[in-house]
Amino acid sequence: HRHGPLDPLLATVIRTTPARTGPDALARRLAALDREQFRHDLRHGALPAVQGQLERDEPPPWDEILAMLDEGGLPLRTRDQLAAHPHCPEPVAAALLDRDSEHTSVPLALVRRSRAYALLALDRLPVVPDWMRDGDLRASLTWSRHALDAGTLTPADLFTRGRPAHAVLRLIEEFPRDLGELSGLLAAEVRRHRTDSPDAWAVTAALLDDFAGTLPELLGTAAAATAPIFGRGNGN
């Protein structure tokens, strides 16, 4: 039996449901009451009650949960619980990631589970949390490292889709042994764009801190900025 602010309504529901309507009507009213209690528990972060609901045999009301996420009405602890649910659907996972771009627990709970979840995170979050940008990069709290370790993302994924560019470089610098393939991809891209000239490196360095795109996009921008003027626009 769960206790909460709506529990006193249970006796009222039973008392006011006409006997002639039969057990089905009572069951429907009790189910509606239970859904309302669950919404209340979600909004107020009643963790044991929410966990009990999520562990039931029937699936949670994901459509309602998604609507509540879109409204921004769920506390952080509740969002963590939803992300940890083994059958959290992709639309809910995407909403959780959108809502928690600065939070670590949600992507850590999702990205090891499947490539689909990891790609959702890759397209929404910086590969290194912003709060670690200027401090120690802790592998245990870096969701992109977890995804690489789990095999749900590849170094090529990080290189081609990881943002921002400076965060991908930070990963290469911090974990050179583990991310040798990523270093190789970077070297090949530098050769492809011919951005190994002093001018191109200077432009790359000037853009790096504030560049929001990927490493290939950064190198392409630097290459375009330092290309010979006579060669621009005519394909020569």
Side-chain angles (χ1 to χ4, degrees), residues 162-174:
R163 301 170 186 269
H166 67 77
V168 181
L169 285 177
R170 180 88 186 279
L171 287 173
I172 295 173
E173 293 168 358
E174 292 286 341

Side-chain angles (χ1 to χ4, degrees), residues 155 159 172-173 175-177 179-189:
F159 184 71
I172 295 173
E173 293 168 358
F175 310 111
R177 292 184 179 179
L179 298 180
E181 182 180 343
L182 198 51
S183 298
L185 291 169
L186 174 59
E189 192 73 3

Side-chain angles (χ1 to χ4, degrees), residues 168-210:
V168 181
L169 285 177
R170 180 88 186 279
L171 287 173
I172 295 173
E173 293 168 358
E174 292 286 341
F175 310 111
R177 292 184 179 179
D178 299 330
L179 298 180
E181 182 180 343
L182 198 51
S183 298
L185 291 169
L186 174 59
E189 192 73 3
V190 168
R191 291 192 297 270
R192 187 174 78 84
H193 283 294
R194 299 178 181 177
T195 48
D196 52 356
S197 69
D199 286 346
W201 280 124
V203 171
T204 301
L207 293 174
L208 182 61
D209 282 350
D210 298 320

Side-chain angles (χ1 to χ4, degrees), residues 18-171:
R20 64 179 180 275
T21 61
D24 289 345
L26 178 59
R28 287 194 297 271
R29 295 194 68 181
L30 290 175
L33 177 63
D34 192 61
R35 287 194 300 273
E36 183 58 34
Q37 178 70 59
F38 186 40
R39 286 192 289 268
H40 177 276
D41 293 338
L42 285 168
R43 289 193 182 96
H44 291 83
L47 302 188
V50 171
Q51 192 61 37
Q53 286 275 4
L54 294 176
E55 290 174 353
R56 289 183 172 187
D57 291 336
E58 65 268 21
W62 291 116
D63 288 344
E64 289 187 46
I65 290 170
L66 182 59
M68 295 171 75
L69 282 169
D70 289 341
E71 294 167 1
L74 297 183
L76 179 61
R77 295 176 300 172
T78 300
R79 300 197 301 271
D80 287 346
Q81 281 185 303
L82 295 172
H85 192 282
H87 303 298
C88 177
E90 285 189 25
V92 174
L96 288 167
L97 291 166
D98 288 337
R99 182 72 174 78
D100 290 304
S101 60
E102 298 299 323
H103 182 47
T104 302
S105 297
V106 165
L108 288 180
L110 291 170
V111 299
R112 283 184 169 273
R113 203 171 302 160
S114 74
R115 177 167 172 78
Y117 286 135
L119 290 174
L120 285 175
L122 186 61
D123 290 338
R124 285 167 169 77
L125 306 180
V127 297
V128 173
D130 285 340
W131 60 268
M132 277 196 278
R133 175 170 179 168
D134 298 319
D136 293 336
L137 201 161
R138 298 158 63 183
S140 63
L141 296 178
T142 305
W143 68 265
S144 53
R145 271 304 309 264
H146 280 249
L148 287 170
D149 293 344
T152 53
L153 288 181
T154 67
D157 293 327
L158 281 188
F159 184 71
T160 57
R161 295 168 67 166
R163 301 170 186 269
H166 67 77
V168 181
L169 285 177
R170 180 88 186 279
L171 287 173

